[in-house]
Amino acid sequence: MTDFTIEPTVWIALPDGTRLAAQIWRPAGHGQFPAVLEFLPYRRRDGTAPRDDSTYPAYARAGILGIRVDSRGNGDSEGVFDDEYSPQELADIYDVIAWIAAQPWSNGSVGMMGISWGGFNGLQVAAMQPPALKAVISIASTADRYTDDIHYKGGCLLSANVSWAGTMLSYASRPPDPEVVGNRWAEIWRDRLDAEPMLLETWLRHQRRDAYWQHGSIREDWDAIQCPVWVIAGWSDGYRNCPSTLAHNLAAPVKATVGPWVHKYPHFAYPHPRIDYLGHSIDWWHQWLSGAARGIEDWPDYQAYMIESARPQPWTERYDGRWVGTEWPREEAPVALTLGADGRLGSEAAGPITIATPQHCGTAAGEYFTLAPNADLPADQRMDDALSVWWQSEPLDAPMDLLGRAVLTSQVAIDKPQGNLVARLVDVHPDGTSALIARGVLNLCHRNSHAEPEPMAPGVAVPVRLELDEMGYRVRAGHRLRLALSTAYWPLILPSPEAVVAEIAAGPDAHIALPVVTGLAEIDLPEPQDPAPLAAHPEREAGHMTRKVEQDLTHGRVRYTLDDDSGLIENPHHGMQWRETRKEVWEIDPADPEGAWGQLDFTTLRQRGGWHTRTRSEIHISCQPDHYQVAASVTAWHGAEELHRKTWSFSVPRDHM
């Protein structure tokens, strides 16, 4: 095992003169090495430092350079931030790759790696085909920025769109480190704050799948990606569809893995089991960046963990199940179950079924973007099932393996021009416990096109096809399958302009096609030897997280609250201390969506010795019948002195939303 060196700050000059700050983990010796780049706005010296300190030393010891770059206007890098995955960001990455390949310590081959933001931009830059980029590992990402990201889902506006805008308003407001940039830190910080964009306004003004969302969506040209891609996701996360999507569509070499995880790297994610991601990724990089045969071609095309009849609980340490491997194209034989008018799955009984959902259905949904195996995950579905219309099977005589995407088809009418339809597939245990397997949401105005939505004609039934998210799940014998339908799913998706009554034509023409598979080959994916791979960064003050649902019976309102405090963390290498808090409140009238609102409050703290900075970002959004009304602000303090305050107030018309 070789030793390595760390260069905490290396400046990379871009063609326009802007300098980006990077940290490099360099293998020992004076040779030329393959390099792996991770390019993020999340700050290398505090935000991602614990995971970087765990990952890149392992790479350096294996003879692979690790390079973590703060994106323009973030961390210690110069310039100002404009938007996620903007043309400027992608151009910067292209130039950084060329810079890496030209260094005397580089063998000329570069890989890109990342989760979420870094998983997105890795795929997007691969589609630009920089000559030195030879392979990508993309975790928790998407091929379609509109309908399979944190913004819109099935044409429905996700509350995560709003909270993510608040998160980025907070993240982009953080100052650079005076130890790195010197006395110019306050000037650089003011420039960032003055230029900080209100991304929620941008995202709300693009409610259709237009050119804004097509940019960076690799599904626009599958053939543009020519380098090998390993794409990874977790069943406990909202980003679970990309592995199968890429496996189906990329012509370049692709391997896909989906585990039971939340939105984390798979060597330290929950729920268990984890995989030896570091060992597998080192093999991946050496095969594609060094030309060393590591047997990657022998991996199954698609590796999936089949969760076995999960039980919702406050903390989920591990899911029962097994790893399976399949090749592409995979033979599939969907099993279609009809939605009978008598409420039974598989019944041929015909007749209309009315769905009139209270607006607070959905409080058991969990988060779209999951960071911990606690209340981020869906709760027992009986809370939402009680507010929905559902169909249920008889107890299963034998286990049923589901791997793929279920599809609901039926004739649907609503009594308003706009409305949403939500489908949830649920595993009902013998004792009544109900676990969410997969869900799908559809804005009915988007039933034919996300680019050109059209209103529904009230009272007129139309054919509807609703695709649920990818699943990998075994339903045990003796359990029942339940399909629940609703016209509301709050607060995961923001409500339609008016309360909607839907009618579905139950019977032979209404069915759900289930991705039932048989004969899956079990495979062995060992867990990492280190049960606690993250580098230890001391917690100086404890954090906390709470979620509550409160129903005001006097005033007829339901409130969903979230309070998340990271605690005060210190980087042991340079003493920077940081804390980030997130508070959200969502409120709605169960009988009427007009005036439903959300309030988000984010604070960030950075301090060392006598240097103390804090920012607070706030967003308030209310849902009116014809528009969204937004007020927002960001305030920055150095010590007790308020240095900056910026406010926004705007309304955005609802466009078939």
Side-chain angles (χ1 to χ4, degrees):
M1 181 178 292
T2 59
D3 202 358
F4 64 94
T5 59
I6 299 175
E7 297 178 62
T9 301
V10 175
W11 295 103
I12 301 175
L14 299 174
D16 67 357
T18 302
R19 297 188 310 159
L20 303 184
Q23 181 162 322
I24 298 179
W25 291 258
R26 191 197 300 269
H30 300 287
Q32 293 180 318
F33 306 98
V36 173
L37 166 67
E38 193 171 6
F39 189 103
L40 296 170
Y42 299 151
R43 302 173 60 98
R44 76 200 191 287
R45 284 172 65 83
D46 43 60
T48 66
R51 80 179 191 213
D52 296 343
D53 288 345
S54 300
T55 301
Y56 292 109
Y59 283 4
R61 292 187 182 103
I64 301 168
L65 280 151
I67 304 175
R68 254 292 282 117
V69 178
D70 287 341
S71 61
R72 181 184 292 252
N74 289 281
D76 301 313
S77 290
E78 298 174 348
V80 294
F81 169 71
D82 56 358
D83 199 350
E84 58 179 13
Y85 327 124
S86 68
Q88 180 67 67
E89 176 186 334
L90 301 186
D92 289 349
I93 300 173
Y94 193 101
D95 291 332
V96 167
I97 290 172
W99 178 89
I100 294 170
Q103 300 309 300
W105 37 254
S106 169
N107 74 351
S109 293
V110 179
M112 279 196 71
M113 177 182 79
I115 183 171
S116 200
W117 195 299
F120 275 68
N121 63 25
L123 293 175
Q124 293 162 7
V125 171
M128 299 169 67
Q129 301 179 14
L133 184 62
K134 305 300 183 183
V136 167
I137 298 177
S138 179
I139 307 170
S141 57
T142 183
D144 190 327
R145 291 184 58 218
Y146 178 79
T147 195
D148 221 8
D149 190 11
I150 205 165
H151 304 293
Y152 297 90
K153 185 79 171 173
C156 301
L157 176 58
L158 290 166
S159 62
N161 189 337
V162 185
S163 61
W164 185 240
T167 300
M168 285 311 300
L169 189 64
S170 177
Y171 280 6
S173 70
R174 298 174 293 189
D177 188 341
E179 277 196 358
V180 176
V181 302
N183 293 332
R184 292 183 57 240
W185 73 269
E187 176 189 349
I188 295 171
W189 192 24
R190 286 193 179 94
D191 288 345
R192 288 183 184 178
L193 292 165
D194 288 341
E196 188 166 8
M198 170 41 62
L199 294 179
L200 182 58
E201 182 171 10
T202 299
W203 298 339
L204 286 180
R205 294 196 184 280
H206 294 276
Q207 294 171 33
R208 307 182 181 202
R209 192 178 185 279
D210 57 13
Y212 176 83
W213 301 111
Q214 290 170 351
H215 163 74
S217 292
I218 61 168
R219 60 165 289 181
E220 296 299 309
D221 182 4
W222 295 116
D223 293 336
I225 293 182
Q226 297 182 1
C227 69
V229 175
W230 182 17
V231 58
I232 303 170
W235 296 129
S236 299
D237 188 25
Y239 294 93
R240 53 164 67 184
N241 297 325
C242 196
S244 64
T245 300
L246 266 59
H248 274 297
N249 291 288
L250 287 188
V254 58
K255 298 295 181 181
T257 303
V258 189
W261 313 302
V262 296
H263 196 84
K264 297 287 186 181
Y265 271 83
H267 58 305
F268 58 82
Y270 287 93
H272 292 186
R274 299 164 170 172
I275 64 171
D276 181 17
Y277 170 77
L278 293 179
H280 289 309
S281 61
I282 287 169
D283 285 341
W284 177 268
W285 298 128
H286 275 310
Q287 176 144 334
W288 299 117
L289 306 184
S290 304
R294 293 298 181 96
I296 303 301
E297 63 280 358
D298 296 329
W299 294 7
D301 290 344
Y302 189 93
Q303 303 172 128
Y305 188 76
M306 301 292 290
I307 296 173
E308 185 167 341
S309 283
R311 295 188 68 89
Q313 49 195 344
W315 178 271
T316 304
E317 185 80 13
R318 175 178 290 268
Y319 280 134
D320 291 339
R322 71 200 196 282
W323 284 101
V324 300
T326 69
E327 308 302 322
W328 295 102
R330 184 178 65 223
E331 292 186 8
E332 297 181 1
V335 173
L337 299 179
T338 55
L339 283 55
D342 55 4
R344 291 187 297 143
L345 273 180
S347 168
E348 296 291 323
I353 298 292
T354 298
I355 305 172
T357 310
Q359 295 300 307
H360 64 302
C361 177
T363 57
E367 294 281 319
Y368 182 84
F369 180 89
T370 58
L371 294 175
N374 48 26
D376 279 13
L377 302 184
D380 193 314
Q381 295 297 289
R382 283 177 286 190
M383 293 185 288
D384 289 338
D385 291 349
L387 303 176
S388 306
V389 172
W390 48 264
W391 290 259
Q392 188 163 281
S393 73
E394 296 298 322
L396 300 184
D397 294 329
M400 178 183 287
D401 286 337
L402 302 170
L403 183 60
R405 303 186 72 167
V407 179
L408 171 70
T409 54
S410 182
Q411 295 281 326
V412 178
I414 58 175
D415 64 341
K416 302 293 191 303
Q418 295 163 257
N420 301 324
L421 184 66
V422 180
R424 292 179 293 112
L425 188 64
V426 176
D427 172 10
V428 183
H429 293 238
D431 65 358
T433 301
S434 298
L436 182 67
I437 302 174
R439 62 188 166 214
V441 302
L442 177 65
N443 176 343
L444 291 168
C445 294
H446 287 237
R447 63 196 179 276
N448 297 319
S449 171
H450 294 308
E452 298 180 0
E454 54 183 324
M456 296 280 284
V460 177
V462 297
V464 169
R465 181 182 186 275
L466 198 167
E467 190 173 29
L468 281 66
D469 285 333
E470 185 87 4
M471 66 190 83
Y473 196 93
R474 166 169 278 196
V475 186
R476 288 175 177 160
H479 291 221
R480 301 172 188 260
L481 279 173
R482 178 179 293 166
L483 174 69
L485 298 184
S486 62
T487 55
Y489 203 50
W490 172 93
L492 193 78
I493 63 173
L494 297 191
S496 52
E498 302 173 271
V500 170
V501 177
E503 187 174 276
I504 184 169
D509 293 330
H511 63 269
I512 182 165
L514 299 175
V516 177
V517 292
T518 59
L520 293 172
E522 292 194 30
I523 60 174
D524 182 26
L525 286 181
E527 296 195 47
Q529 293 183 353
D530 187 352
L534 284 179
H537 284 203
E539 185 180 65
R540 300 306 184 191
E541 294 179 12
H544 67 265
M545 191 281 290
T546 60
R547 278 182 178 79
K548 297 179 182 178
V549 180
E550 302 170 287
Q551 187 160 6
D552 183 340
L553 298 177
T554 302
H555 300 95
R557 307 285 291 183
V558 174
R559 177 172 287 194
Y560 185 101
T561 62
L562 181 155
D563 187 349
D564 194 358
D565 182 341
S566 69
L568 184 65
I569 312 298
E570 181 175 316
N571 188 311
H573 302 300
H574 49 72
M576 173 74 82
Q577 294 182 339
W578 59 274
R579 180 180 225 131
E580 293 176 349
T581 67
R582 167 191 171 202
K583 297 181 180 180
E584 295 189 24
V585 180
W586 297 91
E587 187 174 290
I588 200 166
D589 181 341
D592 185 359
E594 181 175 353
W597 58 268
Q599 174 71 40
L600 298 86
D601 187 321
F602 297 81
T603 64
T604 69
L605 179 147
R606 293 295 185 278
Q607 64 185 29
R608 182 195 294 111
W611 180 76
H612 184 284
T613 66
R614 179 168 58 94
T615 67
R616 181 180 182 186
S617 305
E618 300 173 273
I619 294 180
H620 185 280
I621 183 170
S622 64
C623 303
Q624 304 304 322
D626 60 356
H627 70 281
Y628 299 109
Q629 186 67 42
V630 178
S633 66
V634 60
T635 309
W637 292 268
H638 178 212
E641 179 186 1
E642 181 179 306
L643 291 186
H644 173 93
R645 181 171 174 81
K646 187 174 185 179
T647 62
W648 297 264
S649 179
F650 57 91
S651 64
V652 179
R654 297 175 75 137
D655 180 8
H656 296 86
M657 282 284 164

